[in-house]
Amino acid sequence: MEATSVPLQPPTYGNFITVLSIDGGGIRGLIPGTILSFLESELQKLDGEDARIADYFDVISGTSTGGLVTAMLTSPNENNRPLFAAKDIKDFYLNHCPRIFPQNSCPLFPHVTKIVKALSGPKYDGKYLHNIIREKLGSLRLHQALTNVVIPTFDIKRLQPTIFSSYEVKKNPSMDALLSDICIATSAAPTYLPTYYFETKDAEGKVREFNLTDGGVAANNPALVALGEVSKEINRGSPDFFPIKPMDYGRFLVISLGTGSHKDEEKYKATDAAKWGILDWLTRGGHTPIIDVFSQASADMVDVHLSVVFQALHCEKSYLRIQDDTLSGVVSSVDIATTNNLDNLVKAGETLLKKPVSRVNLETGLYEVANHETNEEALIRFAKLLSQERQLRHAKSPVGHAAHHNHNDNIHTHERHYDY
């Protein structure tokens, strides 16, 4: 068995480029958190209890709450291992979400309170979120992530996406922001949390300013953004990648995790929405319709594109999208952080594992069964592929090969010591 402390070797020594993508969705980050905990446990069965998600993916991409999960999985501790195991995500959300999203303490006129909040500023001040992220991630910067990360945000001053990418930071040092700043920015959902300003300085002292809001404005499902960043790196002729044709999607292994949606309820109807004003679009039935619309549209369009392309190129087994479109009531909210609701989100994630792999139907907007494999079975299959890919790269690369032999030599030396 290999020592998992040896970094994942570049794809040029293997067969695949491995990608993990995590959607935005506030407290619903508990759903992909539960899925990732299962995947990591399967990897540990294969490669030992020290195995971590970051040991197997060339790039991990996350938007909003998914960006926070990405940073948790890839930020190094003092031993240069991931700060959080996947199983720790659940406890982080259960412990901190009630204080990030404190619930309304005025039960007499809740709707009036929501309207006043919507008119006067963001629903939450973000102070607790900012503090806990800074406390956990400290002075860590983007270049220190244990594998490549891609985290989208949106710059409201430039009116364009700003993508924080490990690939981009190699040639553009001004993008080497604090991971805490990146996480706060990508989570700054309009109407929910305040926009976020920070600056970076390059080696010459040149200042770059960022005026950022939630990455979900640009890409609530960041899978395509991650693939785009990898493709740019390949086109630049990076030695880390084997030569790959533009449409050779069979060389990618992609796991894309959604945070759930509430499509089964027919939440909004055009006959009703035709009469809405700005307040209705901002707060309606415990939801924020305008946010629901753009975030769900973004997520589904990416899924549709990737599903069609992977199927057309006969490599659909290389793409796994796990999403639940049957959430209902408060469990579909992004911020109702009661103990009961958070527990129900964990249960939703556990239930989703047992459901069949599904694909979105663009005609109906609903997810339909794609094959007879459950999400759990698909993740077990992917865990085996990821483990085999890691072992292959380490066997073929000079660095991994040497580390592997040193590891075995240490074992043999240890055994000889006991023989004497």
Side-chain angles (χ1 to χ4, degrees):
M1 190 194 306
E2 296 175 288
T4 50
S5 58
V6 181
L8 180 64
Q9 297 303 294
T12 192
Y13 298 111
N15 291 328
F16 297 106
I17 300 166
T18 55
V19 179
L20 172 64
S21 173
I22 310 160
D23 285 15
I27 59 171
R28 299 201 310 262
L30 273 164
I31 293 176
T34 303
I35 305 295
L36 288 167
S37 181
F38 176 82
L39 175 60
E40 192 168 88
S41 71
E42 289 301 311
L43 292 166
Q44 288 168 347
K45 287 177 186 177
L46 297 166
D47 295 332
E49 62 181 17
D50 291 333
R52 296 290 183 267
I53 294 288
D55 297 328
Y56 297 87
F57 288 95
D58 294 305
V59 57
I60 302 178
S61 185
T63 295
S64 196
T65 196
L68 178 56
V69 171
T70 296
M72 291 166 73
L73 295 173
T74 61
S75 293
N77 62 16
E78 63 277 4
N79 299 316
N80 211 39
R81 295 294 292 143
L83 202 55
F84 289 82
K87 63 182 175 58
D88 299 329
I89 295 169
K90 179 177 82 170
D91 287 340
F92 179 88
Y93 275 71
L94 294 178
N95 291 335
H96 298 294
C97 281
R99 297 179 71 179
I100 294 169
F101 302 112
Q103 298 306 289
N104 177 31
S105 57
C106 178
L108 294 177
F109 305 104
H111 186 63
V112 174
T113 304
K114 283 178 188 173
I115 291 174
V116 171
K117 281 266 191 185
L119 287 172
S120 60
K123 195 171 180 182
Y124 307 99
D125 63 22
K127 289 178 182 176
Y128 185 83
L129 174 65
H130 298 185
N131 289 338
I132 194 65
I133 289 176
R134 288 179 183 131
E135 177 191 318
K136 297 296 182 184
L137 300 182
S139 60
L140 294 169
R141 291 190 176 271
L142 178 59
H143 80 273
Q144 294 173 275
L146 293 170
T147 191
N148 297 297
V149 300
V150 175
I151 300 177
T153 64
F154 190 85
D155 194 307
I156 59 169
K157 185 175 181 181
R158 300 180 178 205
L159 283 182
Q160 67 179 43
T162 295
I163 298 167
F164 290 93
S165 163
S166 299
Y167 300 114
E168 185 68 20
V169 81
K170 294 170 190 173
K171 66 184 187 67
N172 188 352
S174 70
M175 297 297 288
D176 194 23
L178 291 169
L179 282 168
S180 58
D181 283 339
I182 296 170
C183 287
I184 291 168
T186 194
S187 302
T191 76
Y192 287 96
L193 289 160
T195 51
Y196 190 60
Y197 176 87
F198 66 90
E199 298 174 348
T200 59
K201 279 185 184 177
D202 63 18
E204 280 118 40
K206 185 179 177 183
V207 174
R208 175 167 177 174
E209 63 172 32
F210 297 89
N211 298 269
L212 303 178
T213 191
D214 193 314
V217 173
N220 203 51
N221 174 347
L224 208 50
V225 176
L227 292 176
E229 288 297 300
V230 170
S231 297
K232 282 196 292 184
E233 197 70 3
I234 293 170
N235 292 337
R236 288 174 187 144
S238 169
D240 285 350
F241 295 92
F242 40 72
I244 185 171
K245 296 173 184 175
M247 294 302 287
D248 197 0
Y249 274 55
R251 302 300 293 271
F252 286 97
L253 278 181
V254 180
I255 298 178
S256 175
L257 303 180
T259 57
S261 65
H262 49 76
K263 292 183 178 182
D264 63 322
E265 293 184 54
E266 295 185 358
K267 183 64 72 177
Y268 314 117
K269 294 183 179 179
T271 49
D272 297 328
K275 305 163 192 171
W276 290 356
I278 190 167
L279 290 179
D280 296 293
W281 280 101
L282 291 174
T283 173
R284 189 87 181 175
H287 292 271
T288 306
I290 191 68
I291 305 294
D292 288 345
V293 167
F294 74 66
S295 63
Q296 202 58 56
S298 164
D300 280 356
M301 285 304 292
V302 170
D303 183 28
V304 167
H305 173 83
L306 290 177
S307 292
V308 168
V309 169
F310 273 89
Q311 288 177 50
L313 299 174
H314 308 291
C315 51
E316 57 265 31
K317 285 275 190 178
S318 296
Y319 172 64
L320 176 61
R321 171 70 170 169
I322 300 182
Q323 172 70 315
D324 186 352
D325 66 345
T326 64
L327 301 183
S328 60
V330 295
V331 79
S332 66
S333 77
V334 298
D335 67 327
I336 301 181
T338 62
T339 301
N340 184 57
N341 195 37
L342 295 173
D343 288 340
N344 285 336
L345 284 166
V346 175
K347 290 173 187 170
E350 293 167 348
T351 301
L352 184 55
L353 285 168
K354 306 294 183 184
K355 291 183 177 181
V357 173
S358 301
R359 294 275 183 269
V360 69
N361 181 324
L362 199 56
E363 291 293 319
T364 64
L366 299 177
Y367 274 72
E368 298 175 349
V369 174
N371 56 51
H372 298 296
E373 197 177 33
T374 65
N375 290 317
E376 195 171 68
E377 290 166 343
L379 286 166
I380 292 170
R381 175 171 60 83
F382 265 77
K384 290 175 183 173
L385 290 170
L386 290 166
S387 177
Q388 290 166 3
E389 175 70 11
R390 179 179 169 82
Q391 289 171 18
L392 173 65
R393 293 188 196 181
H394 284 208
K396 290 177 71 175
S397 86
V399 174
H401 191 66
H404 181 65
H405 278 284
N406 288 340
H407 178 61
N408 286 339
D409 288 345
N410 288 338
I411 293 173
H412 294 151
T413 303
H414 190 60
E415 288 172 349
R416 283 197 296 272
H417 173 76
Y418 277 96
D419 287 341
Y420 284 106

